Every structure is written in C-alpha cells, then in structure tokens.
Amino acid sequence: MKPKVYLTRPLPPEVMLRLERETDLAWNAENRTVSARELIDALKQREGLLCTINDRIDAAVLDQCASLKVIANFGVGFNNIDVVAATAHKIPVANTPGVLTDATADLAFGLLLAMARRMGEGERLVRSGQWTGWEPMQLLGADVSGATLGIIGFGRIGRAVAERARAFSMRVLYWNRTRLTEDQESQTGAYFVEFEELLGEADFVSLHVPYGRETHHLIGEAQLRLMKPEAFLINTSRGAVIDEPALVRALQSGRIAGAGLDVYEHEPKLSPGLDQLENVVLAPHLGSATIGTRTKMGMIAVDNLLAACAGNRPPNCVNPEVYG
C-alpha cells in the first residue's frame, strides 16, 4: 500500500506528479500556511508530513500525531520544527541540503550588484514617470570590481559567492568557525581574518551562516558600528542572524551605506521603517527560487519521505539519534 502523506502547500509540478503517483496524498491546495489545528486534523492517520519552512511543527502538534513516521522539510533550514520534540517521539526529521548552493549564491551576488549600482532606486525612478533623462551625477553608486568582499560563513554557499567575486577581481576575506586548510584557501583565493577585522575592512559583507543560538543576532549594534560607512550588508542566510531594528537604525543614520536582504527576522513582517528606506534592496525570500532548484528540493524531500515511511533512515536525516 502507498504511504499516507500530507503536504502543507503545493510544490513544483513534477514533484506533485511524483507524490500523486507514489503516495496516498492529501494536501492543502491553497497557497497559504496551515494552522496548527489544521495540521493536527490533517495528520490523523497520516504517516508522512512534507512541510515547508513556513510551517511551525512544535511539540503541541507532535503530541497529537500518533501515526506520524517522518517530517520531510522542504528547505535546508529546519528551525521551524521542534527537532527535540520530534526526536522524543522517535520521528526522523529530514531537510534538503546541497541543491540550492548556486541559486542562493547567484541571488546574493545579485543583491550585491543591485545595492552597489542603486538599481532598486533607479527602477523606482523610471516606473514613477519622474525620470527626466541622463544626468552626470544621477544615482552614483559604488564600484564592485576591485572592492573587498567579506564572507561570514564559508560553507558551500559562501564559497560559491567567493567564486563569483573572483570574476569581478574582488579581494575576498572570510570568517568561519573552522578555518580552511592552506590548500583550500589557495583554491578559493580567499583570506581568513578574524570576525571584527572582516567587518572593519570589507566594502561588502555577505552572511552565509546557519541559524542557531550562536548566530542569533550575530550582526547587531556593536557589529554594525565596526563596518565602514560606505560598506553594504547582504543577508541570504536567516533573518534573525541580524538584529533587524538595529540594522534599520544603522541605515537611517548612514552608519552603513546600504543592505540587500532576502530574509527577515519575523518574515513576512518587516521591522518598522525598513520598507521606507531607499538604501536597501528587499527580496521576498528568493534564495532557492528557480524552477530547477525548487524541483530538485522537492524530489529530495520525497526521497526522505518515502525512505522513512518504508522503515529506512532518510538520506538527509538531521536527528539520526532516533535510529539508535
């Protein structure tokens, strides 16, 4: 018999076809986040849950889902799931790592370019009908070629951003909890510096750390004061890595030149004043938003789901201790 599965939100067509073919599928056809009550009701008699990063799967939900065998998250991050509670219930949790590296790195560099060349301001000017033609001093931006890029978090995505920076002849600095070997540093062309030194030297600071207790508000008032007034901050990691109200104050006061954000501390809500600033580029969490990447993510999530429903360990299990 096909495993009984619940999907919280529509996924790309190829993924949906596979789910309909290989599972007994029930799903929320509306493009919205389901409530805790809806989740509990939907998961009665269901073995598998395929959820997204917007779905809060906490202990109160898990306590009422006796038949659940696996939670497959559509995303690399899984802080939307109470993994401790899931582990206590012997429910494996799985994510979709490795497939969104290039898409997210592309977006991070796109935000960098958009900020430096004031593309958001320019686009708004043209659309408003107030553009009167070319001017020699209009919307002058910052040079990217030859500038210094500081990358905080040098995993797969951080290194992919460094590769893109080399095409612009940028000097790349990085900080990571674990320093690369000399051979690895030579291959990437990046130089390790201490955290505070990176903030003080970089013209562009790009964040690529996982979210957790240690990285909550990694960038706050004190760190923003270390940055150069002409520097820009890019975040495509997790919103709460930045103290968002502190960032708004820094942008309002000119403490830093600008920011490019794809993620937010309390998304989809923004900190007051953020959307009123001209020196910030705001994207709606588009890091992995390509057809190819989202389809691959969905297929990985289904692989995780089917493996656990069959009694096997999911390929991307984040709490392997449930298997002893």
Side-chain angles (χ1 to χ4, degrees):
M1 293 180 63
K2 295 179 180 179
K4 294 182 177 182
V5 167
Y6 180 69
L7 171 66
T8 61
R9 186 173 287 206
L11 296 180
E14 288 183 40
V15 183
M16 296 301 297
L17 286 172
R18 185 182 175 195
L19 282 167
E20 290 171 351
R21 185 175 63 248
E22 300 184 36
T23 73
D24 178 349
L25 180 65
W27 57 294
N28 169 37
E30 300 176 30
N31 194 24
R32 63 172 178 82
T33 302
V34 294
S35 68
R37 184 70 261 167
E38 288 175 306
L39 262 177
I40 292 166
D41 290 342
L43 289 172
K44 290 175 181 177
Q45 310 301 317
R46 293 279 151 182
E47 302 168 65
L49 169 62
L50 203 167
C51 58
T52 73
I53 59 173
N54 292 326
D55 300 307
R56 179 63 187 160
I57 316 299
D58 57 20
V61 170
L62 295 172
D63 286 344
Q64 300 186 60
C65 300
S67 62
L68 195 61
K69 292 183 178 178
V70 59
I71 302 169
N73 211 39
F74 182 80
V76 175
F78 47 89
N79 52 295
N80 58 306
I81 301 168
D82 187 335
V83 177
V84 173
T87 303
H89 283 278
K90 300 295 182 183
I91 299 171
V93 176
N95 64 344
T96 61
V99 294
L100 47 70
T101 297
D102 286 326
T104 305
D106 287 346
L107 185 73
F109 216 85
L111 288 171
L112 186 156
L113 291 169
M115 285 187 306
R117 299 304 304 271
R118 302 177 70 176
M119 292 165 66
E121 294 172 75
E123 204 250 1
R124 288 189 289 275
L125 178 64
V126 173
R127 284 186 181 275
S128 72
Q130 298 179 47
W131 184 47
T132 57
W134 183 86
E135 300 174 21
M137 297 300 291
Q138 186 175 68
L139 293 177
L140 299 185
D143 289 314
V144 173
S145 296
T148 297
L149 170 63
I151 299 175
I152 296 177
F154 213 55
R156 284 187 293 249
I157 298 173
R159 295 186 206 187
V161 172
E163 289 177 11
R164 286 149 179 77
R166 292 173 74 174
F168 286 78
S169 302
M170 298 184 84
R171 173 181 176 236
V172 179
L173 308 177
Y174 82 94
W175 175 84
N176 199 54
R177 284 180 296 180
T178 304
R179 183 173 179 174
L180 273 60
T181 65
E182 288 186 13
D183 287 344
Q184 289 173 323
E185 287 185 351
S186 178
Q187 290 170 8
T188 62
Y191 301 92
F192 176 85
V193 294
E194 295 299 335
F195 184 69
E196 291 80 8
E197 183 180 353
L198 182 149
L199 291 172
E201 287 196 32
D203 301 304
F204 301 90
V205 175
S206 192
L207 304 177
H208 301 284
V209 293
Y211 179 70
R213 189 174 302 171
E214 294 180 356
T215 57
H216 180 77
H217 286 186
L218 183 68
I219 303 296
E221 294 274 8
Q223 293 73 34
L224 290 164
R225 283 197 297 268
L226 293 175
M227 294 176 64
K228 297 190 290 190
E230 63 271 23
F232 299 85
L233 181 66
I234 307 112
N235 189 17
T236 55
S237 59
R238 290 290 179 272
V241 169
I242 296 176
D243 179 344
E244 206 167 271
L247 175 62
V248 171
R249 292 190 292 272
L251 292 166
Q252 288 172 333
S253 67
R255 177 52 264 172
I256 64 172
L261 307 175
D262 186 45
V263 289
Y264 307 92
E265 188 167 4
H266 302 292
E267 59 183 66
K269 294 181 180 179
L270 304 181
S271 290
L274 187 61
D275 61 349
Q276 302 300 312
L277 294 165
E278 285 294 327
N279 57 340
V280 61
V281 176
L282 305 172
H285 206 140
L286 297 176
S288 62
T290 70
I291 295 171
T293 300
R294 291 277 171 91
T295 299
K296 289 176 185 174
M297 288 170 62
M299 292 302 187
I300 291 173
V302 175
D303 288 342
N304 288 327
L305 192 76
L306 294 176
C309 286
N312 301 315
R313 176 171 161 174
N316 301 286
C317 186
V318 302
N319 58 341
E321 57 269 29
V322 299
Y323 293 98

